Structure formats: C-alpha cells, structure tokens
C-alpha cells in the first residue's frame, strides 16, 4: 500500500496490478501536469471513477498536510478506507455525504459542491480530530468525453466553522442576555469605558418612549429631572474616573411627562489586564419605595406633630400629669409633674411607678390606681403623698394604653381648710360668747346654726328653728316684711338690717335690731351669712328718754333766748335812761358850775378866804360829777351803737406832745415828773380826737394812781410779734411808777365798772373799757404790762397800738 500510493504515475500504471479496475484508470500523462497538481496551494485528491471504491489515484502535498497523511498510505487505496467516519461520532455523515456527492458527479458529469461537511480526521496517533470541510468534486473527462477521474478538492474550514460557531454562540448568548435584560424588572444599560451609553434594555425605551438614537451617548441626560442633573453628572464622572461602583437615586421622565424615582447602579467590567472595558448599569424603579418613604416621613412628621401637640397640651395644663402604660411604666411626665414629683421626665420615662415610688405601694394611691385600671373607671381622691410631702388632689383615667393621672398640689387649700375649720370653731365659740343672738345661714339663706343665746332666748331647738323655721318666733305683724326683706338680701348679696320684735320663751316680745353680713371667699362668692339680733328694747327706752331731755333743753334754750332779748331791752332802756339822766343832770350841773365860777372869780362880790375855799371845793365836786356823767354818757353811746371814726393824716408824736402838756400842771401839782419822749414826726392815718381821748385816759390814770415818782410817755415804730397782730405798729407807751396791776387783774381792768380799789373813789371804772373799744375801732388795741405781784410796786406801762397804715 505504501509504495502503490507513492507515485501518481506509478499508481496509474500499476493500479491494475492491485485492482482489477486499475487498468481502466489512465495515469497522468504529463510530468508537468503532475508537478502542478502536486504543488497546487489547494488540497486535491484525484479519485478514480470506480464507485463505490473511489480509489485515490493521487494526492497533492497540501492535501496530505491537511489530512495528516502520507502519500504511500493514501494512493491506491479506497477513499473511504483512508478516510472513514469518526467511530466516536455516531451522527457522523461524512462518508455517506461524500459518496453521494461523488456518485452525483458520476451520474451528472457536473461538478458538485458539497455543503459544509463535518468530517473528522484520524491523527497519526489514531485519535480523530474534529474537522470541517468545504468540498468540491469535479469530473475529469478524456478526449473522447469519457469521465475518467473526479478531482476532489477540499478546504479545511474548521477554523472558520469554529469561529462562526463561536460567533453564533456569542450572538445567541447576547440575544439571550438581551432577552433576559428585557425580562428582568430593572432597566439595563451599558456604556463603553468612556461612559458612552450604547445599550439600554427594552424597559428603558418603553419608559421614556425614546429611541436608541435619542438616548445613546449623553442623550439619556435629557430624561433626567433637572434638579438631579448636576449631582448625577458629578457622581457618574467620579465613577468613570476612579472606577468606583456607581450608585445614585434620581428621577427620570416617563413618556407621559411624569417623573419616577430610580436607583441607578453601575459596575465596571474589566479585561484580564484590569482595564475597564465596559460599564454595566441598572435602573431600579424605587418610586414605590420613595412614596412609602415619603408617606412614612409624613406619618412620622404627623406623629411627631401629634406628639408635640400632646406635649404642648400636657405642658399647658396647669395640673401635673403623668401617664403609665399597662405595666405601670411612665410614658409621659409633664413639667408640673416633674416639679411636684421632684424627678425629671428623662429619669422617669420607661421606669415603673411602683419601683420609683415604692413608698406609695399599699397607700390610697396604690388602691385607687389599681381600682381605676381593674374596674376601668375614673377615680378622684385627695391624699397626702408622703414621698413628696404634699397633699394632692388626683384624678386618674384608665385607657387601653394604661392610666393617665392628673394631680395638683392642694397643700395650701388643705391648710386653709384646716385654718377655716379652726377659725370656724373659734368663730362659733366667739359667737356663743357675744351678748347678741347670732345665727349662720348658707348662701341660700338656709339657717343651719344659732348660738346658744338665741336658742335660750326663744326657748327653742335648732331642729325647730333651722332653715326658715325661725318665722315661728316672729311677731305676726312683722314677719312678712322681715321674710321679704331678708330674702331680697339673700338673693342680691346686699347686707341686711331690720328692726322687729322676737318672742322670748316667756311669750313676751322684745325689740331687736338685726343685721346680717354676707361672708365671701376670695373670689367674692358668698359662702355664708352671719346674722346678729341685738336687743334694743332698753335703748329704745333710753332713746325716748333722750328725746325727752332734748325737748327740755330746747325749751331751756328758748327761755334763755327770751331772757336775753329781755336783757337787751333792759340794757337798751338803761342806756336810754342813762342818756336822758346824764343829759338832765349834766346841764343843771354845768349851770351850777358856771355860777360857782362867777362866785370864785369874785364877779358877784368879793369872798372871804373860807368862802373861796368852799366855792373851790364845790367846783371840784361839780367837776368830778360832770366827769362821771361825761363818762357815763360815753358808755351809753358806746353801748347804743358804733362810735364814729374819722381818719386823717396825723403826726402822732405831735399829738402826744400836746396831750402830755395838758397834764403837766396836774402832774407837777401831784409832785410827779412828766417825761415826754416824742420828738420825731410820726405820720399815720388815724382819728386824732380819739387818740387824744385814749391818751388823756391813760395819762389821767397814771397821775391818779401814782403816789411818787414820775410818768414817761414814749412813742416809736415797732415791728414785732407782740401787739394785737405781728407786723408794723406805732406803739405809744405811758409808763408810771405807781402800784402796778396784778397779772390776774390785767384783763379785768378793761371791763366796765372794774376798779381795783373800790375805796379809792377815783373813778367809775369805765375809762379803760371805752379806751380799748376805741383803740380797736382804730385798728389797734391797748395792752398793759405790770408787775404788782409780790407787793413791791414797780409801776405799769399801758401801750396804745396804732396801725401804720389805713386798715379797715
Ligand atoms: P377809773 O380810773 O375811773 O376807776 P379806769 O377804767 O380808768 O376807771 O380804771 C379801772 C381801774 O384800773 C382803776 O379803778 C384802777 O384801780 C386801775 N388802774 C387804772 N390805771 C392804773 C394805773 N396807772 N396804775 C394802777 N392802777 C390803775
């Protein structure tokens, strides 16, 4: 076999030796042709047309290389003997298909191109190798047109087939991948290493309503929510630059214009060298999650708000408040409760009431709270809380969640109540000790208490008298009025006062002055009435007595007034009498003096010394009488009415000098000095005649009552507090060295008919009274200073005060 395949020629020639049909097979005639055949770049076999054997007549080098055979093992042998089917491939069709193709060439005389054929080749080691072939079988005819050979040209297309198959597989896997990508709920996208978006899964197009052309590259950014763009680009660039996985939440616009939230994620795909070749990204719709988040956020916010509201409400209530859950653990504690419990909210919340305030276990608090929860009922109570040392007023409300407790510090109220009770006791004790009848009524006027005296006086009991029972002891004539009026007071809150008779236990009525006062609390609400009944029977009698006395006094007054009027009439008639009398006496006396003077002057004949002395004594007596009468006349005038005053500018000093000089002879005769100190002019408005009259009176008194020594008359301005009024005065002093006037008598001498020494017979005691009266009419006064007490007379100084200006 080896040698038979070594040479085409030989094979052709020697073929028949080996095969009975070899003789029909012509050899290749031309060595040149053989050389061409041998070295042709394509793989050829020259096959004899001896179907079904198809003896290999020649094989070129390319074919031998391609099939890993040697010429000597091929040439001269049946094609199918050399190239059998791969026994390991039960589906192998190589032999059958090749045979069919060759037979077709023989039958038709036309070349036949076989479909791509898998035809495994045995390696020199014996194992088969997968191979694919592109085969063309072409007939070769001789000159006579007889088909003598078939050229079997093959091309090893294993590599192409393989790569095609790979490609097909890849395509398939990509298709499958895209199908998958389209099926999963996420959007899938891929980019190249630069971030250029080249692929989006179906969902993306369905969502955006866009085409690849619109969305590839940077196109996708157009569907991004404007507010998310900046941060998305930044984030994406960051991943592209660093290769870090990309993750972001953003919104994309749906075809209908609505935006949906997505979670965008991408990771890089790298080659073996670690270079990024692609980015694989997904978009997961998180709208629902976002919506839920938002809803949750809203709910949380609302809950927070509600909680805050509750807290605000709890804080704004004045009461202390805490709540416990079903396990008695604190859930709420407001500020007031923090204050009263002396514990902070943070400290208490979550902790057990009974553990934190173990001292109340077993107390009223414990029982009441337990009861509230067990019976699901509201409880209210007041109790002393020993742990916090105060009295509290508590209201506890059970709920499904536990117990809500409101409480407030009532220590002050408790104290006040205690005080009230005490003062109430004191008050009743006091009300029992007062001499009045007393009672107390509630705000409606229902009397609930009488003092002992009341019950004792009426001889009744509280049971009989309480409420409105007191009407039984009232006088039937008064009771209706009393009821009406006191009812009015109870209704209006006005204090009540009335006077009426009350029947005593003896059956006799006595009069009572009754009063009731509303007692109010700090809010002004009447809390009770307190009433008293004061027995005024005696006062009423005393009042009648007083009335009688007053009557008597009025009578006495009227009588006195009558007497006064009578006295006035008497005085008036006395003055009139005096005026008449003095006038009647004065004129005859004047006439008598006239005759006496004629006698004294010897006009009626000369007189003996004795006669002359008698005449002179007579005249002195007449003079004294005339003077007295003159004064009486003055007094009568003064009593009768005002004395006429006529003010003119007057030099008081000159007036003093003149008046004093009138008395010089008289003083000298009495052996007295007369010293007048009035040199400077002293002008004022006054009545000179009246001033002269006063001065004459003072000088005359000084001469009369001074035995030894002298008289000094002085005048000057005086600005002092002394005198009738403080201010500027003209003061005229007439001083003597006489007996002086006791202080006790100094005011007396200015009264009419006052004489200190009645025996002295110097005057009638009228002069000073008239002088003072005139001085006051002039706007001044007369005062005296004297020190007669203790015996040693040191004289008197009378001062006439005259105003410096005109005074009304
Ligand atoms: P008459 O001098 O006419 O008695 P008066 O009214 O002038 O009346 O005086 C009243 C009395 O005051 C006098 O009686 C006298 O006792 C007393 N009296 C007045 N002036 C002086 C005087 N200068 N010294 C002492 N006693 C006087």
């Amino acid at each position: 076999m080896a040698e038979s395949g070594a040479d085409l020629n030989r094979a052709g020639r020697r073929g028949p030796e080996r095969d009975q049909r070899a003789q029909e097979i012509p050899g290749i005639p031309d060595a040149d042709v053989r050389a061409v055949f041998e070295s042709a770049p394509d793989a050829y076999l020259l096959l004899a047309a001896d179907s079904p054997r198809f003896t290999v007549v020649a094989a070129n080098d390319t074919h031998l290389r391609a099939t890993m055979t040697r010429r000597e093992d091929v040439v001269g042998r049946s094609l199918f003997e050399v190239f059998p089917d791969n026994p390991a491939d039960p589906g192998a069709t190589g032999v059958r298909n090749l045979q069919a193709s060759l037979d077709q060439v023989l039958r038709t005389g036309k070349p036949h191109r076989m479909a791509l054929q898998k035809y495994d080749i045995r390696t020199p080691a014996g194992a088969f190798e997968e191979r694919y072939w592109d085969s063309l079988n072409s007939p070769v005819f001789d000159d006579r047109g007889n088909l003598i050979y078939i050229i079997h040209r093959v091309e090893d297309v294993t590599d192409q087939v393989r790569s095609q198959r790979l490609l097909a597989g890849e395509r398939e896997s990509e298709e499958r991948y895209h199908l998958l990508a389209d099926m999963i709920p996420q959007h899938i996208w891929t980019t190249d290493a630069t971030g250029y978006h080249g692929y989006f899964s179906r969902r993306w197009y369905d969502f955006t309503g866009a085409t690849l052309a619109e969305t590839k590259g940077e196109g996708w950014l157009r569907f991004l929510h404007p507010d998310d763009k900046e941060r998305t680009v930044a984030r994406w660039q960051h991943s592209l630059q660093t290769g870090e996985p990309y993750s972001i939440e953003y919104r994309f616009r749906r075809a209908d214009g609505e935006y949906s939230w997505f979670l965008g994620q991408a990771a890089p795909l790298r080659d073996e060298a670690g270079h990024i070749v692609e980015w694989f990204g997904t978009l997961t719709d998180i709208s629902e999650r976002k919506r839920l988040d938002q809803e949750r956020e809203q709910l949380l916010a609302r809950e927070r708000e509600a909680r805050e509201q509750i807290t605000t409400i709890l804080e704004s209530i004045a009461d202390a408040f805490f709540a416990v859950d079903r396990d008695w653990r604190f859930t709420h504690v407001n500020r007031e409760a923090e204050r009263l419990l002396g514990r902070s909210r943070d400290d208490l919340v979550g902790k057990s009431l009974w553990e934190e305030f173990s001292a109340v276990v077993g107390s009223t608090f414990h029982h009441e709270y337990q009861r509230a929860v067990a019976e699901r009922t509201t409880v209210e109570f007041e109790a002393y809380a020993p742990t916090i040392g105060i009295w509290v007023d508590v209201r506890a409300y059970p709920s499904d969640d536990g117990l809500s407790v409101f409480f407030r510090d009532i220590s002050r109220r408790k104290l006040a109540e205690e005080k009230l009770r005490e003062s109430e006791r004191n008050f009743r004790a006091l009300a029992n000790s007062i001499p009045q009848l007393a009672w107390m009524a509630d705000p409606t006027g229902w009397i609930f208490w009488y003092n002992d005296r009341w019950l004792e006086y009426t001889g009744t009991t509280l049971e009989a008298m309480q409420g409105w029972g007191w009407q039984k002891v009232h006088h039937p004539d008064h009771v209706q009025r009393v009821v009406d009026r006191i009812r009015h007071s109870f209704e209006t809150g006005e204090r009540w006062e009335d006077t009426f008779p009350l029947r005593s236990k003896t059956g006799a009525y006595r009069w009572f002055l009754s009063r009731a006062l509303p007692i109010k609390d700090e809010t002004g609400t009447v809390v009770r009435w307190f009433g008293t009944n004061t027995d005024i029977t005696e006062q009423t009698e005393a009042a009648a007595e007083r009335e009688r006395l007053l009557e008597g006094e009025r009578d006495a007054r009227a009588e006195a007034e009558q007497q006064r009027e009578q006295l006035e009439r008497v005085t008036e008639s006395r003055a009139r009498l005096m005026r008449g009398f003095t006038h009647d006496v004065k004129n005859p006396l004047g006439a008598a003096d006239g005759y006496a003077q004629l006698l004294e002057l010897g006009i009626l004949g000369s007189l003996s010394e004795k006669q002359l002395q008698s005449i002179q004594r007579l005249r002195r007596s007449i003079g004294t009488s005339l003077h007295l009468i003159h004064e009486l006349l003055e007094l009568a005038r003064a009593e009768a009415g005002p004395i006429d005053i006529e003010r003119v500018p007057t030099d008081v000093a000159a007036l003093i000098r003149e008046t004093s000089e009138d008395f010089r002879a008289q003083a000298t005769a009495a052996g007295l000095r007369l010293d007048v100190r009035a040199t400077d002019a002293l002008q004022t408005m006054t009545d000179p005649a009246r001033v002269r009259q006063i001065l004459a009176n003072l000088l005359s008194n000084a001469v009369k009552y001074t035995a030894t020594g002298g008289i000094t008359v002085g005048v000057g301005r005086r600005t002092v507090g002394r005198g009738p009024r403080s201010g500027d005065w003209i003061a005229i002093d007439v001083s003597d060295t006489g007996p002086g006037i006791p202080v006790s008598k100094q005011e007396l001498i200015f009264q009419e008919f006052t004489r200190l020494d009645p025996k002295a017979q110097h005057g009638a005691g009228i002069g000073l009274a008239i002088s003072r009266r005139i001085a006051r009419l002039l706007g001044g006064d007369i005062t005296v200073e004297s020190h007669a007490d203790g015996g040693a007379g040191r004289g008197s100084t009378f001062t006439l005060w005259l105003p410096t200006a005109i005074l009304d």
Side-chain angles (χ1 to χ4, degrees):
M1 256 171 85
E3 59 265 38
S4 64
D7 191 341
L8 262 174
N9 275 331
R10 233 179 341 139
R13 282 193 303 268
R14 290 157 72 180
E17 292 167 15
R18 304 184 62 125
D19 189 307
Q20 71 259 36
R21 293 188 64 185
Q23 277 179 316
E24 295 161 37
I25 300 166
I28 291 175
D30 195 321
D32 293 342
V33 172
R34 197 178 69 228
V36 169
F37 177 81
E38 297 273 308
S39 58
D42 291 336
Y44 293 109
L45 282 179
L46 190 66
L47 302 172
D50 53 349
S51 179
R53 184 177 150 88
F54 293 106
T55 306
V56 176
V57 177
N60 77 347
D61 293 345
T62 309
H63 193 274
L64 295 172
R65 261 197 317 276
T67 56
M68 290 175 290
T69 51
R70 288 180 305 182
R71 187 166 284 122
E72 57 268 32
D73 298 333
V74 175
V75 174
R77 296 179 68 181
S78 164
L79 175 65
F80 302 108
E81 199 181 311
V82 180
F83 299 108
D85 273 332
N86 183 357
D89 181 2
T93 56
V95 171
R96 197 182 66 217
N97 289 341
L98 182 54
Q99 196 140 29
S101 174
L102 292 172
D103 285 337
Q104 189 178 329
V105 172
L106 288 180
R107 206 169 50 246
T108 62
K110 288 198 174 123
H112 178 251
R113 180 163 198 147
M114 290 178 71
L116 184 77
Q117 179 64 54
K118 179 173 181 282
Y119 209 132
D120 296 348
I121 294 298
R122 192 164 41 196
T123 63
F128 279 80
E129 210 178 77
E130 187 189 51
R131 286 294 174 89
Y132 291 87
W133 305 95
D134 183 12
S135 310
L136 177 68
N137 297 311
S138 311
V140 178
F141 297 97
D142 66 8
D143 303 341
R144 293 182 305 266
N146 298 316
L147 195 158
I148 50 176
Y149 298 113
I150 294 173
I151 291 176
H152 174 61
R153 197 202 69 183
V154 295
E155 194 184 342
D156 186 344
V157 293
T158 307
D159 282 351
Q160 280 112 296
V161 168
R162 281 227 184 101
S163 68
Q164 251 166 31
R165 200 171 53 194
L166 265 178
L167 274 171
E170 214 168 271
R171 207 163 40 243
E172 192 186 0
S173 94
E174 194 162 305
E175 268 162 24
R176 239 187 270 140
Y177 155 75
H178 285 169
L179 188 67
L180 193 70
D182 289 344
M183 277 170 60
I184 63 168
Q186 275 91 352
H187 300 209
I188 309 289
W189 49 270
T190 60
T191 76
D192 65 11
T194 68
Y196 184 92
H197 286 60
Y199 166 77
F200 295 89
S201 64
R202 265 254 54 75
R203 265 169 208 286
W204 171 258
Y205 301 112
D206 292 347
F207 178 80
T208 56
T211 63
L212 175 63
E214 286 171 317
T215 190
K216 70 180 180 190
E218 303 272 289
W220 60 279
L221 283 168
R222 269 188 304 194
F223 301 92
L224 190 59
H225 194 286
D227 292 353
D228 299 340
K229 204 165 257 173
E230 196 180 318
R231 106 192 126 83
T232 304
V233 170
R235 186 70 198 75
W236 178 227
Q237 288 305 321
H238 174 79
S239 281
L240 285 177
Q241 278 155 23
T242 59
E244 282 173 20
Y246 168 76
S247 177
I248 190 165
E249 290 185 359
Y250 45 19
R251 283 160 287 180
F252 282 108
R253 193 175 65 238
R254 210 163 53 195
D256 63 5
E258 289 289 313
Y259 282 90
S260 286
W261 276 97
F262 288 92
L263 168 65
Q265 287 174 305
L269 298 179
R270 295 169 194 269
D271 62 15
E272 293 96 77
H275 297 119
I276 295 174
V277 292
E278 197 180 353
W279 283 85
F280 179 85
T282 59
L283 286 178
T284 310
D285 189 333
I286 54 166
S287 310
E288 188 62 9
R289 201 201 80 205
K290 276 277 176 190
R291 194 177 62 75
L292 290 175
D293 278 359
Q294 218 169 340
E295 249 171 47
R296 208 177 122 260
E297 204 48 53
Q298 270 169 4
L299 283 173
L300 279 174
R302 236 177 282 160
E303 198 213 333
R304 214 167 25 242
E305 205 176 304
R307 233 173 236 286
E308 274 162 20
Q309 224 166 348
I310 289 172
T311 311
T312 319
I313 291 167
L314 293 180
E315 290 308 338
S316 66
I317 58 171
D319 284 0
F321 168 83
F322 70 76
V324 291
D325 62 16
R326 298 174 72 86
D327 296 325
W328 302 101
R329 291 183 193 288
F330 286 100
T331 55
H332 281 103
V333 180
N334 79 351
R335 210 167 298 135
E336 178 64 2
E338 282 184 314
R339 192 179 72 78
L340 290 182
L341 295 174
R343 298 281 297 269
S344 82
R345 177 190 332 224
D346 295 343
D347 182 21
L348 287 177
V349 168
K351 292 186 183 158
S352 157
L353 167 64
W354 307 129
E355 280 166 25
E356 296 306 308
F357 296 95
S358 54
V360 301
V361 173
S363 71
T364 312
F365 294 92
H366 192 207
H367 294 311
E368 290 296 310
Y369 292 165
Q370 298 272 19
R371 188 167 74 83
V373 171
E375 297 174 15
R376 290 193 70 80
T377 177
T378 301
V379 297
E380 282 182 46
F381 59 94
E382 286 177 5
Y384 182 72
T387 35
I388 53 176
I390 55 171
W391 273 91
V392 284
D393 174 24
V394 184
R395 278 155 300 134
Y397 304 94
S399 70
D400 289 341
D401 302 328
L403 188 68
S404 299
V405 180
F406 294 83
F407 62 105
R408 75 177 81 157
D409 182 356
I410 53 159
S411 301
R412 271 173 59 189
R413 198 191 81 203
K414 278 280 167 189
L415 204 68
E417 278 174 4
E418 184 46 44
K419 272 205 193 127
L420 190 70
R421 266 196 296 281
E422 195 185 307
S423 75
E424 177 88 19
R425 276 196 298 277
N426 292 344
F427 177 75
R428 285 185 192 215
L430 185 76
N432 256 331
S433 68
I434 59 172
Q436 279 93 342
L437 314 189
W439 51 266
M440 281 191 277
D442 71 12
T444 70
W446 201 89
I447 297 182
F448 60 88
W449 178 84
Y450 293 92
N451 70 351
D452 294 345
R453 223 165 270 278
W454 208 98
L455 298 171
E456 200 180 298
Y457 170 79
T458 56
T460 57
T461 61
L462 175 61
E463 287 66 43
M465 291 292 111
Q466 69 186 358
W468 295 82
W470 48 266
Q471 295 171 48
K472 289 170 222 157
V473 296
H474 274 245
H475 195 284
D477 292 351
H478 296 266
V479 70
Q480 196 49 52
R481 183 196 84 238
V482 172
V483 168
D484 289 347
R485 291 188 52 189
I486 201 166
R487 186 164 275 146
H488 174 78
S489 280
F490 288 148
E491 280 163 8
T492 59
E494 287 167 19
R495 17 170 88 222
W496 170 76
E497 185 174 316
D498 206 345
T499 306
F500 48 78
L502 276 182
R503 192 177 64 232
S504 77
K505 60 184 166 200
T506 64
Y509 282 93
R510 286 181 73 81
W511 280 87
F512 287 85
L513 168 65
S514 302
R515 291 197 175 104
L517 283 178
I519 295 169
K520 298 176 179 173
D521 64 11
E522 60 272 23
T523 69
T525 313
V526 175
V527 290
R528 73 178 44 162
W529 287 86
F530 179 67
T532 55
N533 309 96
T534 309
D535 188 336
I536 51 159
T537 312
E538 260 125 53
Q539 278 98 311
T540 314
E541 281 162 8
E545 176 67 26
R546 198 172 137 267
E547 198 47 46
R548 272 197 303 280
L549 286 173
L550 275 173
E551 190 69 29
E553 194 203 330
R554 267 197 297 281
D555 291 352
R557 260 180 218 278
E559 202 175 323
E561 181 61 18
Q562 255 175 358
Q563 282 170 355
R564 195 188 61 77
E565 276 168 16
Q566 210 172 342
L567 198 67
E568 256 173 25
R569 276 198 298 279
V570 170
T571 311
E572 169 59 24
S573 62
R574 186 192 68 169
R576 235 184 293 121
L577 176 76
M578 251 186 327
R579 273 202 301 279
F581 169 74
T582 49
H583 189 261
D584 291 349
V585 174
K586 199 182 164 191
N587 288 348
L589 271 180
D593 191 47
Y595 287 114
Q597 198 175 12
L598 291 175
L599 283 173
E600 188 185 9
L601 293 173
I603 292 167
L604 301 175
S606 54
L607 300 172
S608 67
E609 191 60 25
K610 259 191 158 176
Q611 284 171 323
L612 188 65
Q613 280 175 358
S614 294
I615 295 286
Q616 281 171 344
R617 244 181 250 132
L618 178 70
R619 279 205 70 199
R620 270 203 297 280
S621 289
I622 291 171
T624 304
S625 296
L626 276 173
H627 180 70
L628 179 62
I629 289 163
H630 173 75
E631 284 189 338
L632 282 172
L633 202 59
E634 276 290 311
L635 179 65
R637 275 201 200 116
E639 276 179 344
I643 297 167
D644 293 335
I645 300 291
E646 207 184 329
R647 290 188 183 85
V648 292
T650 307
D651 178 359
V652 179
L655 196 62
I656 290 167
R657 284 197 299 273
E658 285 162 24
T659 314
S660 300
E661 283 320 307
D662 292 346
F663 281 86
R664 187 168 293 282
Q666 214 180 320
T668 310
L672 300 170
R673 281 179 286 105
L674 178 64
D675 191 2
V676 182
R677 298 172 189 171
T679 46
D680 298 337
L682 205 53
Q683 288 288 342
T684 190
M685 288 292 285
T686 193
D687 185 334
R690 295 298 173 186
V691 174
R692 194 188 292 269
Q693 188 183 348
I694 295 166
L695 273 176
N697 180 241
L698 294 179
L699 280 164
S700 130
N701 279 353
V703 174
K704 264 195 291 186
Y705 298 110
T706 306
T708 56
I711 298 153
T712 310
V713 184
V715 67
R717 285 183 183 276
R718 239 173 257 175
T719 310
V720 283
R722 289 166 63 226
R725 282 181 305 273
S726 56
D728 279 349
W729 294 97
I730 292 170
I732 305 162
D733 295 324
V734 179
S735 305
D736 61 47
T737 53
I741 301 151
V743 174
S744 60
K745 301 279 165 54
Q746 283 174 7
E747 268 309 302
L748 222 57
I749 57 172
F750 291 101
Q751 287 177 13
E752 290 149 11
F753 309 113
T754 305
R755 290 177 303 183
L756 296 184
D757 182 6
K759 290 176 260 117
Q761 293 290 331
H762 287 306
I766 296 170
L768 283 176
I770 292 171
S771 291
R772 172 168 264 183
R773 216 170 155 135
I774 296 166
R776 287 182 175 171
L777 287 170
L778 291 173
D781 204 354
I782 298 174
T783 59
V784 65
E785 261 189 81
S786 184
H787 303 280
D789 302 316
R794 283 169 55 202
S796 312
T797 298
F798 285 84
T799 306
L800 167 62
W801 302 86
L802 291 175
T804 53
I806 306 156
L807 291 169
D808 292 322

